[in-house]
Amino acid sequence: FRAALATAQVALSMALLATMAVFAQSLVNIARIDLGADIHSVLMFETGRRDGLTLQFDPTFLPRLEEALAAIPGVSSVASSGSALLTPQRMNNNLPVEGTSAEPVNAGLDFVSPNFFRTFGTELLAGRDFNETDANQVSAPVIVNHRFAEHYGLTPDAIVGRLTVCGRRMDGGTATCEIVGVIGDLRSSGKVTSEIGPQVFFTNTGRDTFYVRVT
């Protein structure tokens, strides 16, 4: 009985070692995945809810909070978004682009602050980044990723300046937005190992996830 027990113990130990080796290799492989964003030295937090309403309904809250965070010693950049990084995003499957014949793409949507891409070191391939006045425009500009441009057979430079349908108006018509910039593929939603799909980014006050880059 003792010999059988020792044999079973050795066999179980070998199985556990093999499992740990596979798990460790998987962690190494995940660590090598390019997220398209530098997440080192970045702190993330959510504002939560107050009285059943998100804090985004106070138009002065976001500017005041971002200003206060940026003033903290050791903080080099502050950004915010509507969805936390690497979490599921809302999808829109009706995003045609003018001057193209490709079928409208199913793209992930998110709302980000003007300095979101700079905070994460995401490459701007063409066009411009958001600025502080974009959120106040009736037809807000949008930034798309490289996969979005690829779907329509366009280069980053060629898609900048084109219009895309970005929603519905209250009168039932369609709202159009101008593509002002193209970023490199950013793994901002879903699983780390999932394929990066087309993405569209807006900027407005609907953001409650904050990112603070420290030195």
Side-chain angles (χ1 to χ4, degrees):
F1 175 76
R2 287 196 298 270
L5 186 61
T7 301
Q9 185 177 10
V10 171
L12 180 60
S13 298
M14 294 300 294
L16 289 174
L17 286 174
T19 302
M20 288 301 297
V22 173
F23 179 70
Q25 184 61 46
S26 297
L27 289 179
V28 171
N29 292 337
I30 291 176
R32 292 173 178 170
I33 294 177
D34 182 13
L35 299 178
D38 179 12
I39 61 175
H40 299 290
S41 300
V42 176
L43 306 177
M44 183 185 78
F45 70 91
E46 295 181 348
T47 55
R49 295 175 178 269
R50 178 181 61 189
D51 299 329
L53 298 175
T54 57
L55 294 171
Q56 68 191 37
F57 288 102
D58 179 359
T60 66
F61 172 74
L62 282 176
R64 288 188 290 109
L65 179 57
E66 292 181 352
E67 183 179 353
L69 291 171
I72 298 175
V75 172
S76 61
S77 182
V78 178
S80 58
S81 66
S83 300
L85 204 66
L86 297 178
T87 60
Q89 292 179 340
R90 290 179 295 172
M91 304 296 289
N92 190 322
N93 58 3
N94 187 27
L95 290 167
V97 172
E98 67 168 352
T100 64
S101 58
E103 289 293 323
V105 67
N106 186 32
L109 308 179
D110 201 2
F111 300 90
V112 300
S113 63
N115 53 345
F116 178 84
F117 304 117
R118 179 175 63 84
T119 297
F120 284 105
T122 302
E123 183 181 7
L124 184 66
L125 302 179
R128 66 170 179 86
D129 202 345
F130 290 128
N131 58 51
E132 297 296 339
T133 63
D134 286 336
N136 300 322
Q137 297 186 27
V138 176
S139 181
V142 296
I143 291 177
V144 301
N145 69 342
H146 187 234
R147 295 292 176 90
F148 186 94
E150 278 186 335
H151 174 82
Y152 291 100
L154 298 172
T155 64
D157 289 318
I159 201 171
V160 170
R162 295 177 184 256
L163 299 179
T164 179
V165 174
C166 56
R168 295 282 180 181
R169 300 195 306 264
M170 295 185 65
D171 61 5
T174 58
T176 58
C177 293
E178 180 185 359
I179 299 172
V180 298
V182 181
I183 61 165
D185 290 330
L186 170 64
R187 202 175 295 273
S188 64
S189 63
K191 299 179 180 179
V192 174
T193 55
S194 61
E195 183 179 356
I196 299 177
Q199 296 169 319
V200 178
F201 297 89
F202 299 81
T203 183
N204 67 4
T205 57
R207 310 186 301 268
D208 54 13
T209 301
F210 284 78
Y211 312 90
V212 180
R213 176 170 292 282
V214 298
T215 57

